[in-house]
Amino acid sequence: MTLLLLVGFFTLGVKYLNLEEAFSPFVEKWQSWLEDGSAVLPTLGKGNRASGPAVAILYAHPGQCYGREDIHGPGEIVQVGEELARSLEERGIEVLQYSDNPASSYAEAKEQIGSLAQELRKQHPSLKLVLDLHRDAAPETVRHTYKLAVSEGDAERKLARLQFILPQGEKELVLLAGKLWSRAEEKYPGLLRGMVRTGTSEVLTVMVGDWQANTFSEAKASARLLAELLGDVLN
């Protein structure tokens, strides 16, 4: 009964209160429903929004670890991604994770990640960003550049610096990375150590620290900050 009253009010409003222009996109559906009930009524509330994951987290080398050699199967980098996913979901951002990648070489893994990203975008039109998480393996001479310490009152928080690797072109992804960079400089200066344009198509590769310069806990701490930045930009 309530629904019928609302429908009646809507119809009278369109006809007598000059609301036709404001509601014109919906008039035909309502009139069709009144005539024969064949039109599908719109879903009210949250269900009317596009649903599905907004961020996908992939791993070209899921066995990567910190302070020790890589392992077979999911390594610490996957746990870093899980920390990132938890923090994103706390901010209302749905996340899709995929850590099954059997590739052995870097070139093979890069190709597989690109194909997987394309397939996931087809399956999930809601995706706004596909991430490929890594940890770097830098020469000893530059390992110090991966360390960052942030003062918090009398305490000091140690972080693993992040690096973005972007594909050539793809202006939307470059623009998003630029927004993340600007936001990071506002909130956590120095967290990002650079951007390189040698990445996989449709994917933002994120290097989370270095395997010898940083610890596992530092990498997870930086993942939480990355989630915060993504929340600021994507929401």
Side-chain angles (χ1 to χ4, degrees):
M1 179 62 70
T2 301
L3 178 59
L4 291 175
L5 289 173
L6 288 173
V7 170
F9 174 77
F10 178 89
T11 305
L12 290 173
V14 169
K15 185 173 182 180
Y16 296 112
L17 300 180
N18 198 29
L19 299 179
E20 184 172 355
E21 182 177 353
F23 292 111
S24 59
F26 309 102
V27 171
E28 291 184 4
K29 286 186 178 181
W30 284 107
Q31 289 178 339
S32 175
W33 183 82
L34 287 171
E35 291 170 3
D36 58 19
S38 63
V40 178
L41 290 176
T43 303
L44 302 178
K46 292 183 179 180
N48 203 33
R49 298 184 299 180
S51 60
V55 176
I57 303 176
L58 314 180
Y59 308 89
H61 300 287
Q64 290 179 331
C65 296
Y66 293 84
R68 59 192 178 100
E69 297 292 335
D70 294 355
I71 63 173
H72 294 291
E76 291 175 342
I77 192 64
V78 174
Q79 294 178 59
V80 170
E82 290 171 350
E83 189 75 19
L84 173 61
R86 277 193 296 270
S87 297
L88 285 171
E89 288 171 349
E90 288 172 359
R91 292 167 170 78
I93 299 174
E94 188 175 340
V95 179
L96 173 68
Q97 288 198 83
Y98 189 92
S99 60
D100 182 14
N101 185 14
S104 56
S105 70
Y106 179 81
E108 184 183 8
K110 184 176 180 179
E111 181 178 348
Q112 287 189 3
I113 286 294
S115 298
L116 178 57
Q118 292 177 0
E119 184 61 30
L120 290 176
R121 286 188 180 278
K122 291 178 183 177
Q123 294 178 10
H124 305 280
S126 57
L127 282 176
K128 297 180 180 180
L129 180 63
V130 177
L131 297 173
D132 176 20
L133 291 192
H134 290 255
R135 59 102 183 99
D136 213 344
E140 185 176 358
T141 53
V142 297
R143 284 178 195 154
H144 66 281
T145 65
Y146 288 78
K147 298 175 181 290
L148 180 67
V150 178
S151 297
E152 296 181 333
D154 296 331
E156 185 177 70
R157 177 166 51 166
K158 293 184 178 180
L159 302 167
R161 297 183 74 194
L162 308 176
Q163 184 181 39
F164 289 167
I165 302 179
L166 295 159
Q168 295 291 336
E170 301 191 25
K171 293 182 180 179
E172 290 187 7
L173 184 54
V174 172
L175 179 61
L176 177 59
K179 290 180 179 179
L180 288 170
W181 182 287
S182 297
R183 192 64 175 155
E185 286 301 296
E186 290 176 11
K187 302 181 76 170
Y188 306 107
L191 179 62
L192 298 182
R193 62 181 299 272
M195 288 196 288
V196 181
R197 301 291 293 276
T198 59
T200 304
S201 179
E202 301 187 36
V203 176
L204 175 59
T205 299
V206 182
M207 293 288 188
V208 186
D210 174 78
W211 80 291
Q212 287 187 301
N214 303 108
T215 65
F216 179 37
S217 61
E218 291 171 358
K220 289 194 294 184
S222 293
R224 290 191 290 271
L225 298 189
L226 177 59
E228 181 181 335
L229 299 173
L230 286 168
D232 292 346
V233 171
L234 295 178
N235 282 329

